[in-house]
Amino acid sequence: MVPVLRYLGGACGRARGGFPGSFSGVCGSASGRPWPLCGGVRSASSSSFDIVIVGGGIVGLASARALILRHPALSIGVLEKEKDLATHQTGHNSGVIHSGIYYKPESLKAKLCVQGADLIYEYCNKKGISYKQCGKLIVAVEQEEIPRLRALYERGLQNGVQGLRLIQQEDIKKKEPYCRGLMAIDCPYTGIVNYRQVALSFAQDFQEAGGSVLTNFEVKDIEMARESPPRSIDGMKYPIMVKNTKGEEIQCQYVVTCAGLHSDRISELSGCNPDPQIVPFRGDYLLLKPEKCYLVKGNIYPVPDSRFPFLGVHFTPRMDGNIWLGPNAVLAFKREGYRPFDFSARDAKDLIANSGLIKLISQNLSYGVSEMYKACFLSATVKHLQKFIPEINITDILRGPAGVRAQALDRDGNLVDDFVFDGGVGDIGSRILHVRNAPSPAATSSLAISGMIADEVQQRFEL
Ligand SMILES: Cc1cc2nc3c(=O)[nH]c(=O)nc-3n(C[C@H](O)[C@H](O)[C@H](O)COP(=O)(O)OP(=O)(O)OC[C@H]3O[C@@H](n4cnc5c(N)ncnc54)[C@H](O)[C@@H]3O)c2cc1C
C-alpha cells in the first residue's frame, strides 16, 4: 500500500506529480537570496523522476547539474535530508582549492583534483564567485622532513601541477615574512573559496535547467516497487521507490547517491556490501585573533605524514579575511557532531562494532592519542604552530568551528584513499550508483567528479 503523498505546494522542475519534502527554492541561493522556482507540476497524486540524486552536498549538486545539462529532457530530482543544502562537509571545510600535489600519480584523486581545480577557477570566473589564488607553501621545519618534501615535489610534477618550485629559507621569508622553515614547496596555483557558495550556485544552475530540489527529505529506504501505485498513469516506468522517514515516497527509474557521512548506510539499502564503512573524524579549527592575521599571507601547510590522508594542521586564510588554524583529526562519536561532546548511540555502536577501526586504532595509537591531546590542550597545538610561526602564542588564538570528515575504512583497518563507486545486487543494483567515498579534495574536484559520474550514469543506465 503506497502512502498518500502530502502536496506541499510550489513547483519546480520537470518532476511528474506533487512533492513530499520541501522545495529548496526557499533555502537560499549562491547570492544568499532565494532563487525563483521554475518548471511545472503534472499531477499532485504522486511524484516521479527519471533520476533521483540523494544528497545535497557539493558532489550531489554538481552531479545533478552535470546530468541535467547533458540530458535536458530527463526529469531529475535532488533529495536532501536537511532543511538547507550543503550544510555538512561542504559547509564545514578549509575552503582550499587544492592543486593536486599530494595524490598518488595516476590515481583518480590526482587526476580529478588537477582537472577539478581548473574547472572550479573557470566556473567561479564565469559566475562571478569570489575566490583568491593566494598560493600555498608546504614547509619543512626539520631536516628529516626534507627527503619527504622533495618526494612530494616530484609527485606534484608527475601530477602536472602548475607553477611548482622548491624554495629555500630566504624565498620562504619573501612569501611569508613570519614563517620559518628550511625548505618549502611553493605552490602558487592553490586558492581559497567558499564551497557552500559554489554548491548553492550549482543548485541554482540545476534548478534553472529544470531540476527539482527537495529538502527535509531524509531517505530511509530504496526498494523495487512490487505493484503499480494506485491511479498511476506511469505504471512501472518508475520501478524504484525512494521512501523518507515520514513515510512519503518518490518513484524513479534510477538513483545516484552522494550521501557523504551516510554513504555506507545508504549503499546498504540496495544490498551493497557494508564495507567500506564510514568512520567520522572531527577536525577542530582555531582562529587567529584579527589583530594577528598579518602573520599569515597565504596557505601554510606542514609536510604531511604519508600514513594518513589528513594533511596536518595548517594555516588557511578565509574569504572573509579570517585565518583558520587546523584541523586536527579526532574520532567523532556522532557523524554530524560538530562539538567535542556530541554523541549518537547509533554512531557510537557502529564504531565499536567496526573491526577495521579496532585494527586502525591499535596500529596508530600514538597518533590518535596525540591528536586527542592537541584537541584538549590548546598549548599543544600552539607548540606545533610555533614551529612555523614562532611569534604565535596562546593569547593570539580562539577556539573556532569544526568539520567532520567522512572517512571510508576497510575491514583490514586501511583508510580508503580514493573515490569508491558501487551499485548493489539484483534488479535494484542495476539501477543505482552509489558514491561511497568522496574524501578531500572532493570539493575542489567536484566538477571533475560530476563529469565522471555523468559518464558512469550514461553508460550504466544506457541513457
Ligand atoms: C574538516 C574538513 C576540511 C576539508 N577541507 C577541504 C578543502 O580545503 N578542500 C577540499 O577540496 N575539500 C575539503 N574537504 C573535503 C570536502 O569538504 C568533502 O570531500 C566534500 O564536501 C564532500 O561533499 P559531499 O557532497 O560528498 O558530502 P556532504 O557535503 O557531506 O553532503 C552529503 C549530503 O548528503 C545528505 N544526506 C546524507 N544522508 C542522507 C539521506 N539519508 N537522505 C537525504 N540526504 C542525505 C547530507 O545531509 C549532506 O547534505 C574537507 C572536509 C572536511 C570535513
Side-chain angles (χ1 to χ4, degrees):
M1 179 67 192
V2 180
V4 177
L5 292 172
R6 192 161 48 90
Y7 180 63
L8 295 178
C12 183
R14 224 171 282 115
R16 291 141 178 100
F19 297 88
S22 321
F23 293 102
S24 74
V26 293
C27 68
S29 68
S31 60
R33 290 187 301 278
W35 54 82
L37 299 173
C38 51
V41 166
R42 303 207 176 157
S43 101
S45 61
S46 67
S47 54
S48 43
F49 293 98
D50 295 314
I51 305 178
V52 151
I53 287 145
V54 180
I58 200 163
V59 175
L61 293 168
S63 304
R65 174 182 176 274
L67 282 167
I68 207 150
L69 294 180
R70 229 185 250 197
H71 304 281
L74 296 182
S75 59
I76 305 181
V78 169
L79 308 179
E80 166 55 49
K81 71 180 165 63
E82 304 295 342
K83 74 175 178 27
D84 293 325
L85 296 171
T87 56
H88 290 298
Q89 294 178 92
T90 303
H92 288 87
N93 58 43
S94 299
V96 175
I97 303 175
H98 287 289
S99 60
I101 189 168
Y102 296 106
Y103 318 112
K104 199 165 147 203
E106 297 303 315
S107 64
L108 265 183
K109 235 183 176 181
K111 288 182 193 160
L112 295 173
C113 181
V114 171
Q115 195 192 344
D118 285 347
L119 292 172
I120 283 283
Y121 282 128
E122 191 183 304
Y123 182 82
C124 290
N125 284 333
K126 194 167 143 208
K127 293 283 172 178
I129 296 174
S130 308
Y131 65 85
K132 288 183 196 156
Q133 200 181 319
C134 52
K136 155 154 119 180
L137 292 185
I138 304 172
V139 183
V141 289
E142 313 280 357
Q143 278 296 342
E144 66 187 30
E145 291 174 336
I146 289 182
R148 279 193 283 138
L149 188 81
R150 288 187 185 280
L152 197 58
Y153 172 71
E154 292 302 327
R155 182 174 266 203
L157 294 181
Q158 269 178 283
N159 288 344
V161 177
Q162 301 178 27
L164 289 186
R165 286 190 313 148
L166 261 184
I167 60 173
Q168 310 295 328
Q169 284 182 19
E170 55 278 21
D171 285 329
I172 296 176
K173 286 274 174 225
K174 281 186 201 151
K175 292 243 156 196
E176 292 286 349
Y178 299 93
C179 179
R180 67 172 275 273
L182 302 175
M183 193 187 275
I185 300 173
D186 175 20
C187 190
Y189 199 59
T190 302
I192 53 166
V193 72
N194 177 339
Y195 280 117
R196 180 153 197 266
Q197 190 185 4
V198 174
L200 293 181
S201 181
F202 292 164
Q204 188 165 359
D205 295 345
F206 171 65
Q207 288 190 300
E208 283 170 2
S212 306
V213 178
L214 280 80
T215 52
N216 286 317
F217 194 107
E218 180 169 358
V219 173
K220 184 175 110 324
D221 257 321
I222 305 177
E223 57 188 45
M224 293 299 281
R226 277 179 283 277
E227 58 186 55
S228 297
R231 298 185 302 280
S232 161
I233 49 164
D234 294 320
M236 291 302 280
K237 186 175 172 210
Y238 301 104
I240 297 191
M241 294 288 188
V242 181
K243 297 183 182 173
N244 70 10
T245 44
K246 299 173 210 158
E248 299 161 334
E249 60 186 45
I250 274 176
Q251 299 158 247
C252 61
Q253 295 197 57
Y254 305 108
V255 179
V256 178
T257 74
C258 309
L261 284 150
H262 296 279
S263 59
D264 52 346
R265 290 174 180 164
I266 287 278
S267 303
E268 279 191 75
L269 295 179
S270 69
C272 286
N273 195 309
D275 294 308
Q277 282 188 37
I278 292 296
V279 174
F281 280 95
R282 202 185 65 251
D284 305 303
Y285 293 93
L286 302 173
L287 298 176
L288 205 51
K289 285 187 178 164
E291 62 272 24
K292 291 288 176 171
C293 286
Y294 68 88
L295 292 172
V296 178
K297 309 278 174 235
N299 292 284
I300 303 175
Y301 276 62
V303 181
D305 182 333
S306 54
R307 290 170 303 156
F308 302 100
F310 314 127
L311 302 179
V313 168
H314 44 263
F315 301 73
T316 298
R318 303 285 297 178
M319 289 304 296
D320 59 9
N322 282 318
I323 305 285
W324 284 16
L325 315 170
N328 54 12
V330 288
L331 199 59
F333 290 94
K334 187 173 180 195
R335 292 196 178 197
E336 288 156 358
Y338 299 103
R339 290 164 306 182
F341 299 107
D342 279 348
F343 181 84
S344 146
R346 181 183 179 192
D347 295 348
K349 193 168 136 254
D350 280 0
L351 285 179
I352 292 163
N354 187 328
S355 56
L357 181 62
I358 294 165
K359 288 181 194 148
L360 178 77
I361 292 175
S362 59
Q363 284 155 15
N364 300 286
L365 198 58
S366 65
Y367 177 86
V369 170
S370 118
E371 286 296 294
M372 285 181 67
Y373 184 78
K374 277 194 252 165
C376 297
F377 300 102
L378 282 190
S379 56
T381 307
V382 171
K383 212 165 145 194
H384 169 79
L385 295 170
Q386 283 170 338
K387 290 185 188 169
F388 299 85
I389 301 193
E391 273 89 342
I392 288 185
N393 65 58
I394 198 155
T395 57
D396 298 331
I397 57 174
L398 301 166
R399 286 201 183 269
V404 183
R405 306 169 182 88
Q407 178 59 56
L409 185 73
D410 73 16
R411 212 171 262 262
D412 298 323
N414 302 310
L415 298 168
V416 181
D417 194 30
D418 219 333
F419 299 99
V420 176
F421 300 97
D422 203 347
V425 292
D427 288 349
I428 198 162
S430 64
R431 290 178 172 272
I432 295 193
L433 175 67
H434 298 292
V435 179
R436 291 195 68 148
N437 194 35
S440 184
T444 304
S445 315
S446 52
L447 284 168
I449 296 174
S450 71
M452 193 177 66
I453 289 174
D455 289 345
E456 183 68 27
V457 163
Q458 198 166 327
Q459 198 188 1
R460 234 178 228 236
F461 305 151
E462 297 173 3
L463 297 182

